[in-house]
Structures are given as C-alpha cells and as structure tokens.
Amino acid sequence: MSAMPLIIGAIAIFALAYRFYFGFISAKVLTFKSDRPTPSERLYDGQNYYPVSKWVLFGHHFAAIAGAGPLVGPVLAVQFGYFPGFIWMVVGAVIAGAVHDLVILTASVEYDGKSLAAIARAEISKLSGSVASLAVILILIVALAGLGLVVVNALAESAWGTFTIASTIPIALLMGVWMFRIREGKTVEATVFGVVLLTLAVILGRYIPGSAVGSWFLLDRKTLTILLAGYGFFASVLPVWLLLTPRDYLSSIMKLTVVGMLAIGIIIVAPNLQMPAFTAFTHGGGPIIPGTLFPYLFITIACGAVSGFHSLISSGTTPKMIMNEAHIKPIAVGSMLAEGVVSVLALIAAASMFPLDYFQINVSPEKFQEILPQLKAMGFTKSDLPMLSAEVGEKVAGRTGGAVSLAVGMAQIFSSIPGLKGLMSYWYHFAIMFEALFILTTIDAGTRICRFVLQEAVGKVYAPFGRANWLPGNLLTSLIVVLAWGYFIYTGSVTTIWPMFGTANQLLATVALVVGTTYIINRGKAKYAWITIVPLLFVGVTTFTAGLQNSINIYLPHFLNPEMKLQGGINLGLTILILICVVVIIADAVPKWWKAIREQYNQN
C-alpha cells in the first residue's frame, strides 16, 4: 500500500479539527481575553517570567513537547503493523492530546503559570495537590530517563552525531544573547545565523570521525549519560532567554523544516508500506514491545496521541512566557496537531523498511537470531541491511530504541528523491541530529519543570525554596533531578525503561485530564465536561491495565531475579506508587464533580 493516503488524510483531519472542533471549544468552553494582563507581564522577573512573541513561543512549546514520543513510540509500535498506530494517533491527537494541552495551558495562565500540582491543589483539594506533586516528580524523572535513553543509544559511538548535537549548545547561547540582549527583537537575524551554523555543523560533522578531535566525540553510553545529565543541570538553572528558549526555537525550525521535507518526500517518492497493516504480534509475543496490542499500543505511542508530559510544559515554562491569551489556542492545539503529523511521518518511515531490517535494527543480535525463524514464517524474508549500513557509514544492526531505524527509514526516503541519490550518509546523520534535537529540547524543559515542582513541594517546608528565582534552591533541586533520571539511564535499558515511561506518562495524562475536568466543572461549564471525561476514561483504563501488567509480567520477575533485584524493585515500587497516587486523585475529585454538577443543575 502507498503511504500517501495516510499523510494526506492525517493533515486534512487535523486541519478540520483545528478549525471546527477547537473553534467550538474556544468559543463555548474556555474564555480567552486578549486585553487581560498575562503572568509574563504581571510577574516579570527576567529569568522565568519573560514575555515571548507568539511564533518564538510556539517554537519553544512545540520543541519542548515533541520529544522522543512522537518519533520513537510510533516506530516501536510498528511491531503491531502500521494501521493500529495510525488510527490511534489521528483520533487520539484530536479528542485527547490537543484537548488535554489546551485546557491545562489555559488553567495555568489563569493561575499565574503555576504547576499542575498547584492547580490540583486549588481546584480539587490540598490532598490532591500534595499527591499530584509527588506523582509529577516521580513521573517526570521516569519520563526524562526514557527520553534521555533514546539520545544516548542513538549517539553512542557516533562522533558525527555527537559533534553536531554538541554544536547546538554554543549556537543557541549566541542566538540567545543576540535576540534578547545585543539585537533585541531582531528574531529573523538570529534565525538565519542559527540555521546557517546548524547546517554547517551537520556538513562538517562528516569529517570529525577521522580528525584529530574525533576521539573527543566518540563516546560510550556511560560517558554520554554523564554529559547529558550535566547539560540538563545547566539548562535548568540558566535564565530561559539564554539557552532554553533560543535552543528550543532553533530546534523547532529544524524540526518543522524536516517534517515538511519528509512529508513532501513521502508524497514525491510515494513509498510502499512494507510492513503489513497488522502483524501476528498484536496478540503478544513481540520482540520489541512485551505485550498485546491492547493496552501496549496506547502506552508505546506515548506522545503522538496524548501525553501527560505536555501538561507539565503547559503548566511550566510556556504559561510564564505567554504574551497574550489569544496565543493559547495556536500554541497549545497547533503544537499538538503538528506533533501528530510528526508521529504519522515517523510511522510511515519505519513501515517503509523491509520488516526483517526493521526487527534486526530494533532487537539485539542474539534476540534477532532467536526470532528469525518466526519472522520468516510470517513472510518477512527480504533484507537490505548490509547495503544500508554501508551507505549510512554506521553499523545499524542491534541499535535498539527506535531512533536508528527511524533515521534509516527517513534517509531511504530522502535519498530516493530525484537528484538526491548518493547522499544517504548525510541524510542518516541529519536524521539522527533531527531526532536528538527533538529529545534534548524535551529534556532541558522537563528538567527545569521538575525543578519547579520540587521547589514548590519543598517550599511548603522551607519557604525560600518556593521562590523560583532563589539560586541555592535552583541549584540543589536541579542537581537532585538530574542525578535521579541520570541513574535510570545509566543502569537501565529500553526494555525496562520504555514500558515504565509510557505507563507513567499516560498516568500523568490521566491526572491532567482529572484536573482539567475539575477546572471546566468549577467554571460552571459542566455540560461541556465530556470533552475531557471521554479521553480520561479511555486513557485511564488502558494505562491502569498496562501498569498492572508491567508490574506483574516485567518488574516483579526482575525483582525476584538476584541479578536485577535493585532495578526491578525500583521499577516495581515506582509503578505501584504512581498508580496509588492516581487512584487517590480520582477518588478525591469525583465527589467534588458530583457536588458541583448538582449545584449547577439546581441553580438552572
């Protein structure tokens, strides 16, 4: 089957949804006042509260929410075939993801840019606020570990990729000083400057492996983890205008450009989807995702349809930089639907590969030999992997995690465009940089947000921590956060971290939808609460099921294994604790919904 109908259909549905469904929500459910002062104006501090123009902030928000999930999740879900993931991403992005993001960003702007936990405390109760703080901190640490693991696996032993990604940091610092200090407001100048330097970094990166400095960038997994944690720390404590905002803006330009190029490439090349619509692994037994289609599809595609992580961006950095409430819809909904397009493109790129190559890249060599007879029995016999490895200039077999297989799939599509054949190695490393940019911008924003939430929580005990601009508190809480997620990456693997990341992330979406439902009901709009209750029910049921299955089938056996006892015990304990937190918040909120609905009904 040709991939063209998938991408054209997805874009058409998203465009119609933005115009009509979210036009309805903006007019009937949520109220935006363009003349009302925003938190960035009223609470300006030059570091966290800083007004940013609509499109620059769109760039930050899109870059921050679009991490590994829309890239890696759909690729891993191709194990089940291309059709289940496609349907969930298109439907879920509209009825769940974009609604979730829009409601939380609106609520956070009303609450002066406060966190999801603070909104829960105000809208539901102090109990829910405290439990939400704990849940958010735990979930964020797990999520950041899952995202960081993908970067580490993609860049390990790749001097070209590591050099290119490292170059984005000084480029972003220069852009930040240019846009916000030297030539304030001259965004176009800084944009051209940043894009030119970033393009040069990709091109020149080819010559790094054989150069005198090549060994500086040829790093193993452990070293990369330490450096990544160091980057997360500095990104968390530096002013937002210096590194976070310009880097995310630069990344968003690259992301949207590549997404557009990939969409055009798919339309021009019209690749056939080599993976069938459904595979035998929908019933379980797959080598990449350890479970059946339900519920594992819905936690594997963790960001392409709905993501709890988005609620933290929507109640973290973005609401502190909104210049005008009229910008909320294009930033929240536009970013989520753009991420939905990215997810569909990632799925197509992976499904366009020969299935045998797809599995050989995404499982270990030992596991691949074990499942090879099963794959051949399913009709997967064609392979181009030796040629692909030679063309991209990297050994790609056994590079688990989804990032490498996506880069190979993208490079295949780009190099098939007339006039671009023979540039496969450039396209591959360009795609690796593209993926790592996606993920790193989520890590830096996520670390900062986790620091905000931790400071809020500790501030209840020692007041100075509650001030977001108190330097000792910033340094200490940022250090605690990066040490925590760095530990998981240092000691974990895709098979242990990604299922927990997907479950934790979607449980956070469940919490955010509970808070969003409460916010709508408390505003006297109970008759419209279905817009959050419908996705809440679906996401909640699927994710609770996955959390219980992970605990019983993965983490408990690991805990009982003497060699994996510590990691298994931590994973099991965290998953159970997060499940309990979500149950407490739901049990606390539902009676308040019922009371508010009865009062509104009696008044009418």
Side-chain angles (χ1 to χ4, degrees):
M1 175 183 170
S2 171
M4 279 206 333
L6 298 187
I7 185 58
I8 293 174
I11 292 173
I13 291 170
F14 291 155
L16 291 170
Y18 184 89
R19 172 65 180 83
F20 295 105
Y21 185 51
F22 291 100
F24 158 76
I25 292 175
S26 298
K28 298 291 186 180
V29 186
L30 305 174
T31 303
F32 304 124
K33 294 182 179 179
S34 58
D35 59 345
R36 183 163 49 193
T38 61
S40 67
E41 298 175 73
R42 292 184 288 100
L43 303 174
Y44 174 85
D45 63 6
Q47 180 165 338
N48 297 302
Y49 289 89
Y50 197 102
V52 176
S53 64
K54 178 170 69 173
W55 295 116
V56 173
L57 187 54
F58 174 90
H60 159 74
H61 187 80
F62 174 71
I65 67 169
L71 298 176
V72 175
V75 171
L76 299 179
V78 167
Q79 169 187 289
F80 297 125
Y82 70 82
F83 191 72
F86 173 76
I87 291 297
W88 171 232
M89 286 185 291
V90 172
V91 175
V94 173
I95 67 168
V99 171
H100 164 283
D101 295 11
L102 178 62
V103 173
I104 296 302
L105 180 55
T106 303
S108 186
V109 169
E110 181 177 324
Y111 279 99
D112 292 337
K114 293 291 180 62
S115 70
L116 182 68
I119 300 170
R121 184 176 293 109
E123 291 289 329
I124 305 174
S125 72
K126 289 183 179 179
L127 172 64
S128 285
S130 299
V131 173
S133 292
L134 175 61
V136 166
I137 292 168
L138 295 177
I139 291 169
L140 256 178
I141 289 170
V142 172
L144 292 169
L147 298 169
L149 181 69
V150 178
V151 175
V152 167
N153 284 351
L155 297 181
E157 310 297 339
S158 176
W160 187 347
T162 303
F163 167 79
T164 303
I165 293 303
S167 299
T168 64
I169 298 172
I171 293 172
L173 291 170
L174 289 171
M175 284 183 66
V177 173
W178 191 330
M179 282 195 297
F180 296 108
R181 287 296 182 268
I182 298 175
R183 299 275 287 172
E184 188 171 356
K186 302 295 183 181
T187 305
V188 174
E189 293 178 3
T191 300
V192 173
F193 170 79
V195 169
V196 169
L197 289 183
L198 187 58
T199 304
L200 286 174
V202 177
I203 296 171
L204 296 177
R206 180 187 181 105
Y207 305 101
I208 291 297
S211 70
V213 298
S215 60
W216 298 1
F217 300 96
L218 193 65
L219 305 175
D220 60 29
R221 188 174 174 275
K222 303 292 188 183
T223 305
L224 279 169
T225 301
I226 294 170
L227 291 175
L228 185 62
Y231 166 75
F233 174 80
F234 285 106
S236 175
V237 299
L238 289 174
V240 288
W241 62 266
L242 182 59
L243 178 60
L244 189 70
T245 301
R247 194 180 187 286
D248 288 358
Y249 175 58
L250 176 64
S251 299
S252 70
I253 293 171
M254 182 61 67
K255 291 174 181 182
L256 292 171
T257 301
V258 174
V259 167
M261 289 169 55
L262 185 56
I264 293 169
I266 288 172
I267 293 172
I268 293 173
V269 176
N272 288 322
L273 299 174
Q274 303 295 334
M275 188 70 73
F278 297 90
T279 71
F281 297 129
T282 56
H283 305 295
I288 301 172
I289 302 170
T292 55
L293 178 68
F294 179 89
Y296 279 90
L297 173 75
F298 305 100
I299 65 166
T300 300
I301 301 179
C303 299
V306 60
S307 169
F309 186 83
H310 295 190
S311 69
L312 304 182
I313 306 298
S314 295
S315 62
T317 51
T318 300
K320 295 178 176 66
M321 295 186 279
I322 287 275
M323 289 182 68
N324 191 308
E325 289 188 14
H327 299 169
I328 292 175
K329 178 189 167 186
I331 288 172
V333 179
S335 294
M336 178 61 231
L337 297 183
E339 185 173 6
V341 174
V342 172
S343 300
V344 172
L345 293 172
L347 179 141
I348 290 171
S352 299
M353 299 174 62
F354 287 131
L356 207 61
D357 294 342
Y358 165 83
F359 285 106
Q360 191 167 353
I361 293 173
N362 283 299
V363 300
S364 66
E366 299 77 19
K367 183 68 174 179
F368 179 75
Q369 291 303 317
E370 180 184 329
I371 65 169
L372 184 58
Q374 184 182 7
L375 296 176
K376 288 184 174 179
M378 295 166 63
F380 302 153
T381 56
K382 294 182 180 180
S383 174
D384 279 339
L385 199 63
M387 181 186 70
L388 291 175
S389 293
E391 288 181 345
V392 303
E394 301 270 4
K395 180 184 175 183
V396 297
R399 299 288 290 272
T400 62
V404 170
S405 57
L406 173 58
V408 171
M410 290 174 61
Q412 278 186 303
I413 291 170
F414 285 140
S415 61
S416 298
I417 298 174
L420 299 182
K421 191 173 179 61
L423 299 175
M424 185 103 168
S425 62
Y426 279 106
W427 287 123
Y428 171 80
H429 288 90
F430 183 80
I432 287 291
M433 181 208 66
F434 161 74
E435 295 178 64
L437 277 176
F438 252 78
I439 299 162
L440 283 179
T441 49
T442 306
I443 288 173
D444 53 30
T447 302
R448 194 180 196 94
I449 291 163
C450 195
R451 184 256 286 182
F452 287 154
V453 178
L454 186 56
Q455 280 189 264
E456 277 184 8
V458 179
K460 302 298 179 185
V461 179
Y462 184 60
F465 274 93
R467 301 200 305 266
N469 59 353
W470 188 53
L471 184 59
N474 292 357
L475 296 175
L476 181 58
T477 51
S478 295
L479 182 62
I480 292 171
V481 171
V482 297
L483 287 176
W485 60 254
Y487 166 79
F488 277 102
I489 301 175
Y490 201 86
T491 60
S493 66
V494 172
T495 55
T496 59
I497 291 178
W498 195 263
M500 187 167 64
F501 159 65
T503 303
N505 187 52
Q506 303 307 72
L507 285 172
L508 181 55
T510 304
V511 171
L513 288 166
V514 171
V515 174
T517 301
T518 311
Y519 175 80
I520 291 171
I521 292 173
N522 287 349
R523 296 302 172 282
K525 302 290 183 71
K527 65 180 180 179
Y528 298 117
W530 57 266
I531 69 167
T532 48
I533 290 176
V534 170
L536 166 62
L537 291 173
F538 184 80
V539 174
V541 169
T542 55
T543 311
F544 263 86
T545 304
L548 292 173
Q549 289 187 8
N550 282 344
S551 299
I552 296 169
N553 299 330
I554 301 177
Y555 306 135
L556 183 59
H558 287 174
F559 176 64
L560 297 176
N561 183 342
E563 296 181 0
M564 304 180 70
K565 188 177 184 66
L566 178 61
Q567 188 70 35
I570 292 174
N571 292 351
L572 179 63
L574 279 179
T575 302
I576 292 174
L577 184 56
I578 293 168
L579 286 170
I580 292 171
C581 288
V582 177
V583 170
V584 169
I585 294 169
I586 293 173
D588 193 24
V590 171
K592 292 179 173 59
W593 296 354
W594 181 244
K595 181 181 178 182
I597 290 171
R598 289 183 64 184
E599 289 176 354
Q600 291 174 34
Y601 177 78
N602 291 335
Q603 289 173 1
N604 294 330

